[in-house]
């Protein structure tokens, strides 16, 4: 799939950085590809910002976190990221 602007929301900021949540049918491996975030997101995301990625297509829904590594004004690149989902042990 491709980036959808309706899925990206700023949820906080501090110390010069922002925290975002991005809900999409795409998983972290897709989202962290250089150039995934396009359009207005290029003007919103800055290097050092944290993006919480919610994969709504996973079952159960998966949560991951990544950091914006760079943004040159045309291309946003996010780091490899970390899966924060946990298996339900009960």
């Amino acid at each position: 799939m491709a980036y959808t602007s309706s899925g990206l929301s700023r949820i906080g900021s501090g110390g010069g950085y922002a925290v975002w949540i991005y809900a999409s049918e795409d998983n972290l491996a897709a989202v962290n590809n250089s150039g995934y975030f396009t359009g207005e997101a290029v003007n919103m995301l800055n290097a050092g910002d944290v993006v919480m990625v919610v994969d709504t297509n996973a079952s159960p829904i998966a949560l991951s976190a990544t950091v914006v590594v760079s943004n040159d004004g045309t291309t946003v690149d996010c780091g490899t990221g970390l899966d924060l989902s946990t298996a339900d042990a009960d």
Side-chain angles (χ1 to χ4, degrees):
M1 299 235 0
Y3 165 70
T4 54
S5 60
S6 62
L8 184 64
S9 298
R10 185 176 176 154
I11 58 173
S13 63
Y17 300 100
V19 179
W20 301 83
I21 191 157
Y22 179 62
S24 166
E25 291 185 358
D26 292 341
N27 62 21
L28 178 63
V31 172
N32 71 17
N33 281 318
S34 180
Y36 177 86
F37 289 103
T38 59
E40 197 56 35
V42 174
N43 298 322
M44 296 168 23
L45 298 170
N46 296 302
D49 287 357
V50 175
V51 181
M52 307 299 294
V53 179
V54 180
D55 178 358
T56 60
N57 200 40
S59 181
I61 291 175
L63 175 65
S64 304
T66 186
V67 174
V68 177
V69 175
S70 65
N71 180 345
D72 65 8
T74 58
T75 303
V76 174
D77 189 18
C78 292
T80 303
L82 178 66
D83 180 11
L84 302 175
S85 301
T86 57
D88 187 3
D90 55 356

